[in-house]
Amino acid sequence: MNTDSTSRFIMSTLRRATAVLCALALAATAAACGSSSGKVDDKSRTATSVADFGGMDGLVKAAKEEGQLTIIACPDDWVNWGEVIKTFQSKYGIQVNSTNPEASSAEEIKAAQDLKGQANAPDVFDLGQAVALSSTDYFAPYKVSAWDKIPQKNKQPDGLYVNDYTGVVSIGYDSSKAPEPKSLNDLLSKDYTGKVAINGDPTQAGAAFAAVAWATLQEGGSLDDFAPGIDFFAKLKQHGNFLPVDATSATIASGETPVVIDWNYLNVAAAKQNPNYKTIVLPENAYGSYYSQAINKDAPHPAAARLWEEFLYTPDAQNLFLKAGALPVMAKAMTDDGTIDDAALKQAGGLPEDIHLATQEQTEQANTLLAERWSGVAAS
């Protein structure tokens, strides 16, 4: 895997499409959107906070004068974007044009390049971390009103990009077929004989890669060396508990894979087809992969772009992400101030104490080690 494909693939394959489909979707969007007739205030392009608009009322007024917002790579069924979009439109009366929803992070940046100066260029981005880090020349700095509630490690100091949500690795289990595991090593017991699966091959699938990363952390290792995680799955196989079936929502619904180590939002989604299926997130040594929001410095609707960012970092929008099982970046602050959706948080598996993220170097090292050792685990 290269760096960008790993970053995006770790969260899910849902947001990737073939180059042909992406090109067709982009062409269709260009034809459909046309030009914007809204008024753009040049001062909006340089605003770095709501104070530059004289407050929220001024920002809302400027955004409404622009009249619309163009987003990219936000499928309706991914982390609840559909409801997020509808809520924003209803609240502010601004039309949201959702373009090329299956675009990869790299394709988002390419769209900004190709459509620069056009009314249908993306106003904002939702990017995997690797692409966010390498694309800051395309971003406009902006600090939302909730800036102080966002952890320091989850935001670029100048406001060029800010994490918005993440998945964390969880254990999903069919409560009619297996007891609730309290630790990773519980899965080695006879209660889980022939029942534990992962979502794919970790040398190829991001969700499975994440499962090994998480097992490494649970076993007391670090993301610098995935050997403890690989060793755990070898033990799981030796105990007869590792199920060599790629877990999907269909295998969970049928009961073929009663216990699945996977992203929490995928386990939460699978529960819709199996009412006995529960999701838990162990409280320590969690593993995640954040997405980041950024404003296109050449946004055709700069005030609407900034209003969108303000909205995304409100409890209302953050809880909409949580309803889909994704943990919002403000979850800790919202838990502390009582604005978190407790029912949605429970369904998502709970909030871990800390979330570990793999660097580009750690990911590359892990891929090399998995290529060398995973075939032995699968065959053992």
Side-chain angles (χ1 to χ4, degrees):
M1 302 179 187
N2 62 37
T3 302
D4 180 52
S5 62
T6 298
S7 174
R8 185 149 298 256
F9 204 53
I10 281 174
M11 288 290 283
S12 173
T13 59
L14 290 175
R15 295 185 54 176
R16 301 185 306 149
T18 64
V20 172
L21 287 176
C22 288
L24 289 173
L26 193 60
T29 296
C33 290
S35 61
S36 171
S37 59
K39 176 183 176 183
V40 177
D41 184 343
D42 286 339
K43 291 187 296 183
S44 298
R45 300 188 186 281
T46 59
T48 58
S49 75
V50 72
D52 291 331
F53 294 93
M56 184 59 71
D57 289 345
L59 173 56
V60 171
K61 181 176 183 295
K64 285 188 172 183
E65 287 179 350
E66 292 174 356
Q68 56 184 293
L69 171 79
T70 299
I71 64 175
I72 186 170
C74 296
D76 283 355
D77 59 356
W78 172 264
V79 299
N80 213 15
W81 277 125
E83 191 171 355
V84 171
I85 292 166
K86 288 178 182 178
T87 303
F88 178 82
Q89 289 183 144
S90 176
K91 184 177 180 68
Y92 294 112
I94 294 171
Q95 175 64 39
V96 177
N97 305 312
S98 182
T99 66
N100 202 359
E102 302 297 338
S104 69
S105 292
E107 288 164 340
E108 292 185 61
I109 299 301
K110 189 174 189 304
Q113 295 171 332
D114 293 347
L115 299 174
K116 182 178 178 179
Q118 299 184 36
N120 58 316
D123 290 302
V124 293
F125 307 107
D126 189 49
L127 302 164
Q129 192 69 359
V131 174
L133 288 169
S134 64
S135 304
T136 53
D137 288 348
Y138 295 91
F139 305 158
Y142 187 81
K143 295 184 179 181
V144 294
S145 300
W147 183 259
D148 291 341
K149 294 186 177 183
I150 300 168
Q152 198 67 34
K153 67 179 182 179
N154 296 117
K155 57 192 178 186
Q156 196 277 340
D158 297 324
L160 289 173
Y161 62 82
V162 187
N163 293 162
D164 48 359
Y165 59 84
T166 184
V168 291
V169 177
S170 65
I171 303 175
Y173 68 100
D174 187 325
S175 59
S176 69
K177 298 179 182 295
E180 178 182 339
K182 303 293 187 181
S183 71
L184 178 68
N185 281 294
D186 281 356
L187 301 180
L188 298 174
S189 76
K190 293 182 179 179
D191 290 330
Y192 301 94
T193 300
K195 295 179 180 178
V196 184
I198 59 176
N199 185 356
D201 181 331
T203 66
Q204 301 177 37
F209 175 98
V212 179
W214 175 74
T216 294
L217 295 170
Q218 292 297 314
E219 289 289 272
S222 81
L223 297 178
D224 291 327
D225 180 7
F226 275 35
I230 296 171
D231 291 341
F232 170 79
F233 281 101
K235 287 190 294 184
L236 194 68
K237 184 71 177 290
Q238 290 164 6
H239 280 69
N241 293 7
F242 188 51
L243 187 59
V245 175
D246 291 350
T248 66
S249 58
T251 65
I252 291 170
S254 69
E256 185 180 2
T257 54
V259 181
V260 179
I261 300 173
D262 203 351
W263 292 114
N264 65 322
Y265 60 88
L266 293 181
N267 274 329
V268 167
K272 295 177 181 178
Q273 299 181 59
N274 184 343
N276 295 317
Y277 199 69
K278 312 297 182 185
T279 301
I280 63 166
V281 173
L282 298 183
E284 297 179 349
N285 295 316
Y287 179 81
S289 179
Y290 276 95
Y291 274 76
S292 296
Q293 279 289 311
I295 297 172
N296 183 359
K297 70 177 184 181
D298 298 311
H301 312 104
R306 287 155 174 79
L307 182 60
W308 173 254
E309 297 302 316
E310 292 285 353
F311 172 69
L312 292 185
Y313 294 94
T314 63
D316 286 348
Q318 294 273 293
N319 277 324
L320 290 177
F321 292 143
L322 187 57
K323 281 178 63 177
L327 294 180
V329 72
M330 291 168 54
K332 177 63 167 62
M334 291 165 59
T335 299
D336 291 344
D337 66 21
T339 58
I340 198 82
D341 184 334
D342 289 324
L345 182 60
K346 182 178 180 180
Q347 185 181 44
L351 182 65
E353 294 177 5
D354 194 17
I355 299 173
H356 297 263
L357 311 173
T359 66
Q360 177 180 346
E361 182 179 2
Q362 288 170 333
T363 298
E364 291 172 351
Q365 291 174 349
N367 281 329
T368 299
L369 186 62
L370 285 164
E372 293 171 354
R373 293 194 51 193
W374 187 257
S375 60
V377 173
S380 62

